[in-house]
């Protein structure tokens, strides 16, 4: 059977693994060594030194990630932000212009708003729902477009194939942060994107016990990004590589369970009198449901959010009533996590601006974990029932 025809479940476990296995070890050992005996290679990147991201643990991860995203090559980094910033600073140089989706992940948005202009890179924010409206924004200096597969926390899905087609038409590098759906839910390169980025801290690892990032794409671009990582220093430690490799093997199983639980939770919430609105692309009521159904092949993600009716006291009482879900930032873990975007990720925005983009004080974001489905749904139900007026 050809490797690319095998299922995602199989590839998550076997792709990139060393053959023959190292000393027969079924699980890839950790090579916690800063340097390796070597006579030197063709360039600096091939020197066998830990910062150059080329220990056996890095090599296995690069091969596995490239296989999963259907890319020529891949590179892991010390965090999602290291992957994002290093990639942007490889593709863009002073004088260049980039179009970026409105409402990006907070760290990326701040980087685009404050840091890139300081480096002489111009940014325009655009609506990923309507790429045809971008034509008039393209300048001779425009080099790239940057979007996310799903937005946080309202789970909007832009017209992603149109974004990739727009970029190709204008000869731009198209970049997409695929953290939320992961390659199990969506493989952007199949839809014409140039580069895929990940916060591997989230679903790829899946256990909330490391920080890592990744970028996948054409070999020549990955080589250029690797060159920058080597100099900027955002490399991943071999022990974190080992943990990430271990976590990735169960990605498909985790996501299937988590997405099904997210659907069950979304349906319960949608029917609850204390909930105004549920934002989950798996629900027919979500504005991007049809698009998500086509692009993500039934994997609607394990993230959802909902508008709780009531004042801040109701919201606080609801959070206190939860027994299973942990009130904590981040996402993609085995524990279900709950956050209030108005008090965490979007606290920097003025309240009117937050209201304009749909992030009210009662908006609750949920990262659905791996707990028993009925236990989890029941936990949210009793927490809501407990604050009914
Ligand atoms: C968390 C996150 C990032 C940043 O990743 P880190 O690993 O925390 O640096 C980027 N994009 C998305 C969508 C995220 O959720």
């Amino acid at each position: 059977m050809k490797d690319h025809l095998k299922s995602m479940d199989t590839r998550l476990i076997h792709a990139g693994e060393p053959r023959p296995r190292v000393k027969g070890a079924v699980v890839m050992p950790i090579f916690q060594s800063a340097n390796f005996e070597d006579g030197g290679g063709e360039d600096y990147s091939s020197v066998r030194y830990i910062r150059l991201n080329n220990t056996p643990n890095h090599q296995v991860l690069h091969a596995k990630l490239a296989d999963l995203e259907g890319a020529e090559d891949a590179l892991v980094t010390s965090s999602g932000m290291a992957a994002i910033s290093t990639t942007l600073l490889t593709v863009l140089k002073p004088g260049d212009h980039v179009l970026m989706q409105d409402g990006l992940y907070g760290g990326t948005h701040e980087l685009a708003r404050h840091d890139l202009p300081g480096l002489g890179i111009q940014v325009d924010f655009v609506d990923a729902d309507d790429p045809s409206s971008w034509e008039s924004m393209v300048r001779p200096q425009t080099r790239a477009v940057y979007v996310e597969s799903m937005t946080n926390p309202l789970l909007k899905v832009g017209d992603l194939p149109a974004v990739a087609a727009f970029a190709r038409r204008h000869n731009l590098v198209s970049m997409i942060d695929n953290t939320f759906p992961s390659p199990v839910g969506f493989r952007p390169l199949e839809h014409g994107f140039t580069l895929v980025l990940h916060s591997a801290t989230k679903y790829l690892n899946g256990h909330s016990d490391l920080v890592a990032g990744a970028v996948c794409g054409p070999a020549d671009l990955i080589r250029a990004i690797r060159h920058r990582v080597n100099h900027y220093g955002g490399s991943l430690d071999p022990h974190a590589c080992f943990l990430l490799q271990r976590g990735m093997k169960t990605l498909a199983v985790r996501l299937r369970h988590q997405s099904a639980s997210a659907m069950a939770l979304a349906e319960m919430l949608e029917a609850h009198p204390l909930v105004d609105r549920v934002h989950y692309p798996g629900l027919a009521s979500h504005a991007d449901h049809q698009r998500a159904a086509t692009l993500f092949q039934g994997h609607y993600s394990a993230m959802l959010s909902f508008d709780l009716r009531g004042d801040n006291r109701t919201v606080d009482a609801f959070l206190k009533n939860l027994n299973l879900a942990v009130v904590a930032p981040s996402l993609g873990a085995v524990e279900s996590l709950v956050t209030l975007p108005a008090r965490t990720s979007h606290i920097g925005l003025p309240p009117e601006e937050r209201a304009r983009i749909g992030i009210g004080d009662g908006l609750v974001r949920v990262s659905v974990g791996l707990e028993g489905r009925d236990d989890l749904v029941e936990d949210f139900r009793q927490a809501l029932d407990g604050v009914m007026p």
Side-chain angles (χ1 to χ4, degrees), residues 40-333:
E42 46 207 58
D43 58 9
Y44 182 58
S45 299
S46 53
V47 174
R48 308 282 315 278
Y49 177 58
I50 194 165
R51 175 169 38 78
L52 308 179
N53 260 348
N54 58 16
T55 75
N57 294 101
H58 293 98
Q59 286 161 354
V60 169
L61 268 182
H62 293 159
K64 196 185 279 294
L65 281 159
D67 181 278
L68 297 173
E69 286 286 11
E72 281 177 11
D73 205 354
L75 178 69
V76 286
T77 55
S78 58
S79 68
M81 285 311 301
I84 292 166
S85 59
T86 309
T87 299
L88 284 168
L89 293 177
T90 304
V91 171
L92 302 166
K93 45 182 203 321
D96 285 350
H97 172 243
V98 56
L99 295 172
M100 297 181 86
Q101 180 175 8
D102 219 356
L104 290 170
Y105 172 77
T108 312
H109 182 82
E110 291 295 294
L111 178 78
R113 213 178 155 83
H114 300 292
D115 301 292
L116 293 184
L119 296 168
I121 296 161
Q122 302 310 313
V123 184
D124 271 315
F125 292 99
V126 291
D127 179 359
D129 223 11
D130 186 14
S132 62
S133 70
W134 302 5
E135 298 287 341
S136 61
M137 308 188 80
V138 176
R139 312 177 192 168
Q141 299 82 9
T142 310
R143 289 285 167 269
V145 296
Y146 186 106
V147 297
E148 290 175 356
S149 316
M150 291 183 187
T151 67
N152 174 36
L154 299 177
L155 286 309
K156 290 189 186 158
V157 182
D159 191 349
L160 303 175
V163 170
F166 166 86
R168 271 202 309 280
R169 213 160 46 243
H170 292 281
N171 214 4
L172 310 175
V173 175
S174 51
M175 298 178 243
I176 182 164
D177 181 333
N178 199 34
T179 300
F180 273 36
S182 92
V184 169
F186 185 52
R187 286 166 304 283
L189 300 186
E190 292 174 4
H191 295 268
F193 279 89
T194 321
L195 288 168
V196 186
L197 295 143
H198 282 280
S199 167
T201 315
K202 318 291 170 53
Y203 286 103
L204 289 179
N205 178 56
H207 293 74
S208 279
D209 52 10
L210 62 76
V211 56
V215 52
C216 313
D220 56 342
L221 259 176
I222 297 296
R223 194 176 311 120
I225 298 164
R226 176 173 289 138
H227 183 82
R228 295 294 166 115
V229 169
N230 289 347
H231 294 153
Y232 295 168
S235 349
L236 193 63
D237 182 79
H239 185 252
C241 288
F242 166 83
L243 286 175
L244 176 55
Q245 187 184 342
R246 177 170 80 160
M248 281 173 65
K249 291 179 190 174
T250 56
L251 175 66
V253 189
R254 282 187 279 112
L255 267 185
R256 260 200 303 277
H257 185 99
Q258 289 168 323
S259 305
S261 298
M263 190 70 204
L265 182 59
E267 283 170 348
M268 184 281 284
L269 292 169
E270 195 165 50
H272 200 281
L274 219 61
V275 175
D276 253 340
R277 200 151 155 221
V278 182
H279 310 272
Y280 184 62
L283 291 176
S285 59
H286 192 280
D288 301 324
H289 173 66
Q290 267 319 320
R291 191 177 281 158
T294 311
L295 292 178
F296 304 148
Q297 297 151 4
H299 292 272
Y300 293 109
S301 103
M303 299 297 299
L304 62 86
S305 60
F306 62 96
D307 294 299
L308 186 58
R309 217 166 268 175
D311 56 13
N312 278 332
R313 289 222 325 270
T314 312
V315 176
D316 286 325
F318 162 75
L319 293 182
K320 244 181 120 193
N321 281 353
L322 287 169
N323 294 317
L324 292 178
V326 185
V327 182
S330 197
L331 56 114

